[in-house]
Amino acid sequence: LVVMFSLQTLMAQNYDESKVGNYRLPELLKTQKRKTVSTIKDWEKIRRPEILNLFENHVYGQVPKDFDDIAFEVTNLDKNAMDGKATLKEVAITVTRNQKSVSINLLMFTPNKAKKPVPMFLVINHRGIKTMDITRQNKDGFWPAEEVIEAGYGISGFDVIDVSPDDKVKFREGVLNQLYPEQLEMNNGMRALGAWGWGAARAIDYFEKDKAVDAGKIISVGHSRGGKASLWFGAQDKRVAITISNESGNSGAALSRRNFGETVERITNHFPYWFCPNYQQYANNENKLPVDQHMLIALIAPRAVYVASAAEDLWADPKGQYLALTEAQDVYELYKVHTNLPAEMPDVNEQIIRPHIGFHNREGKHNMTPYDWQQFIQFADNYFKRH
Ligand code: GTR
């Protein structure tokens, strides 16, 4: 009994602000050689590549970019979807390396009223194909296609199962076993979150060829584990114009050094396959991490980033996500993008829209809802007016 009790105490998560404790974040603008970064050039040439490398080696693993061939086949086309309001396409994206291949089924709707190529929301979807019902009989608020089409945007997504199933054992099926088996041997090799982003990159490869889509206006979206993947993807791939993280929490937008809600110990225990093996060593040892998550957000700068939270989703630490965002502002400042976020997290349901940075903490629980999407659309409308 005593043993069980102490084990539980060890595993319990903290939800008490007064117990968060003091922490010191790694310095965003100081290179490994201790040089202070004050120019865009030093950021882009030295510090940004350093930080990308640190995330590869210590958190998510590297993301291979080479393959032998990529082929796109439109397998389903309906120009009269949503009562004539939208065009539906299903695209099989087949990627081949060393004679082995993987196919991703990309689903997309574009608005028929559009007179020019549209900006496109791309969802890294871990909730299964039913949430993106192309018949539109099941209208899931997680992927509110009608509302997005009405607003003049395209909406798309793929099921992560096509690239790396969200499962401790099966995650290897897909790109890891088929295309990049050597990654599995490496302690800084790609795992599930990296693979999901890799899949999103292949979707953009397709969008670049589709005249209905403005490939300069891709908006990456993910919720929770998908939000972690979206941030890591947006950090690496400069083709993403807006990166959206919905309640990504620990190892996503939330600061790891804040002892609040989910911890590195808990996440690496339950979901070891999301990260590279090297990440395990930071369980209960966050202060040794050479990065914290504000640095992930900063990699996206000066491109736009949106961080959404939910007030009852304390597991994902809304305040920790907001603080990471405020810490990332220094890099936006280098680019003369003045975001001036308030030091305190805004009230529940109060949206913050700044040039290049957005945030809200919606009332309610862990989920991605039409309310969240309305805020994303407002932010994108505002951003694309100028970009
Ligand atoms: C939880 C996990 C979180 C988050 C969430 C989700 O179990 O601890 O990090 O990823 O799942 O994806 O909904």
Side-chain angles (χ1 to χ4, degrees):
L1 203 80
V2 173
V3 173
M4 272 181 58
F5 174 73
S6 57
L7 252 179
Q8 271 182 2
T9 327
L10 216 82
M11 301 293 288
Q13 314 300 310
N14 173 49
Y15 292 109
D16 180 349
E17 259 320 309
S18 74
K19 296 203 176 109
V20 165
N22 293 321
Y23 54 85
R24 241 182 78 193
L25 296 176
E27 285 176 277
L28 189 51
L29 295 179
K30 187 121 316 142
T31 70
Q32 284 170 330
K33 290 191 175 145
R34 310 299 300 156
K35 181 181 180 198
T36 299
V37 174
S38 56
T39 63
I40 294 175
K41 187 165 166 250
D42 279 356
W43 169 254
E44 291 185 351
K45 292 254 148 33
I46 309 173
R47 189 56 176 151
R48 187 174 182 278
E50 269 180 15
I51 296 175
L52 258 176
N53 240 289
L54 292 171
F55 276 106
E56 278 174 14
N57 290 334
H58 300 267
V59 185
Y60 306 106
Q62 47 183 277
V63 180
K65 292 186 178 54
D66 68 299
F67 45 79
D68 300 327
D69 187 56
I70 184 163
F72 309 109
E73 188 196 348
V74 177
T75 55
N76 184 9
L77 173 66
D78 178 2
K79 293 186 172 165
N80 244 318
M82 293 181 187
D83 300 323
K85 289 193 179 131
T87 295
L88 161 72
K89 274 183 207 154
E90 278 186 78
V91 184
I93 304 175
T94 305
V95 184
T96 309
R97 183 180 186 246
N98 295 336
Q99 270 109 47
K100 289 194 171 167
S101 55
V102 157
S103 240
I104 305 167
N105 187 34
L106 175 69
L107 309 176
M108 58 186 277
F109 287 101
T110 45
N112 285 341
K113 67 177 181 198
K115 303 238 154 40
K116 50 180 194 185
V118 291
M120 176 61 87
F121 284 96
L122 168 62
V123 177
I124 299 175
N125 179 21
H126 69 280
R127 286 258 179 108
I129 204 70
K130 282 208 299 290
T131 52
M132 303 188 293
D133 181 13
I134 53 172
T135 71
R136 303 314 293 151
Q137 270 156 348
N138 173 32
K139 295 194 173 73
D140 193 318
F142 190 86
W143 201 71
E146 283 73 12
E147 282 95 321
V148 175
I149 289 298
E150 196 54 48
Y153 290 77
I155 182 165
S156 62
F158 66 96
D159 187 334
V160 299
I161 204 167
D162 291 353
V163 277
S164 176
D166 188 10
D167 179 279
K168 229 179 236 176
V169 178
K170 294 196 192 128
F171 77 93
R172 296 180 183 84
E173 295 170 14
V175 290
L176 284 161
N177 274 345
Q178 289 296 107
L179 305 189
Y180 306 109
E182 65 279 5
Q183 291 288 321
L184 289 165
E185 309 297 321
M186 296 151 64
N187 285 332
N188 66 347
M190 181 162 80
R191 295 296 184 272
L193 292 180
W196 300 348
W198 181 93
R202 304 294 74 80
I204 300 187
D205 294 345
Y206 171 73
F207 293 142
E208 288 177 332
K209 305 249 182 285
D210 188 324
K211 290 195 176 65
V213 180
D214 183 345
K217 294 185 176 161
I218 303 299
I219 310 154
S220 169
V221 182
H223 166 65
S224 206
R225 62 198 70 188
K228 305 178 213 290
S230 176
L231 283 174
W232 175 226
F233 170 52
Q236 299 165 78
D237 197 324
K238 292 186 176 171
R239 296 176 301 173
V240 180
I242 304 179
T243 302
I244 297 179
S245 146
N246 196 70
E247 298 157 34
S248 59
N250 187 273
S251 310
L255 291 175
S256 301
R257 279 169 177 74
R258 256 173 68 82
N259 171 32
F260 194 99
E262 190 173 26
T263 58
V264 173
E265 190 265 342
R266 153 79 207 211
I267 206 168
T268 52
N269 246 302
H270 280 69
F271 305 104
Y273 64 98
W274 288 353
F275 308 97
C276 72
N278 280 342
Y279 196 39
Q280 310 282 333
Q281 60 190 292
Y282 301 104
N284 281 325
N285 200 15
E286 284 89 345
N287 285 324
K288 285 271 150 44
L289 264 169
V291 290
D292 208 313
Q293 300 303 113
H294 63 304
M295 295 159 88
L296 183 65
I297 297 173
L299 292 176
I300 296 166
R303 291 168 294 127
V305 63
Y306 195 102
V307 171
S309 307
E312 288 177 51
D313 185 13
L314 295 178
W315 182 251
D317 189 11
K319 185 170 171 189
Q321 303 193 89
Y322 185 70
L323 291 176
L325 202 53
T326 61
E327 293 285 344
Q329 291 180 104
D330 287 350
V331 178
Y332 285 89
E333 280 297 323
L334 282 183
Y335 287 93
K336 306 272 181 291
V337 177
H338 308 300
T339 47
N340 298 319
L341 294 175
E344 292 293 315
M345 179 164 69
D347 289 342
V348 172
N349 293 344
E350 185 196 314
Q351 191 189 26
I352 297 262
I353 294 193
R354 294 287 189 270
H356 307 227
I357 292 190
F359 178 88
H360 72 259
N361 186 25
R362 149 178 77 67
E363 66 186 58
K365 294 192 187 353
H366 186 65
N367 198 3
M368 187 157 69
T369 69
Y371 175 91
D372 297 314
W373 278 92
Q374 280 161 22
Q375 318 309 307
F376 304 158
I377 289 168
Q378 267 177 44
F379 179 76
D381 281 352
N382 185 63
Y383 185 69
F384 289 141
K385 250 188 262 160
R386 285 177 245 132
H387 293 90

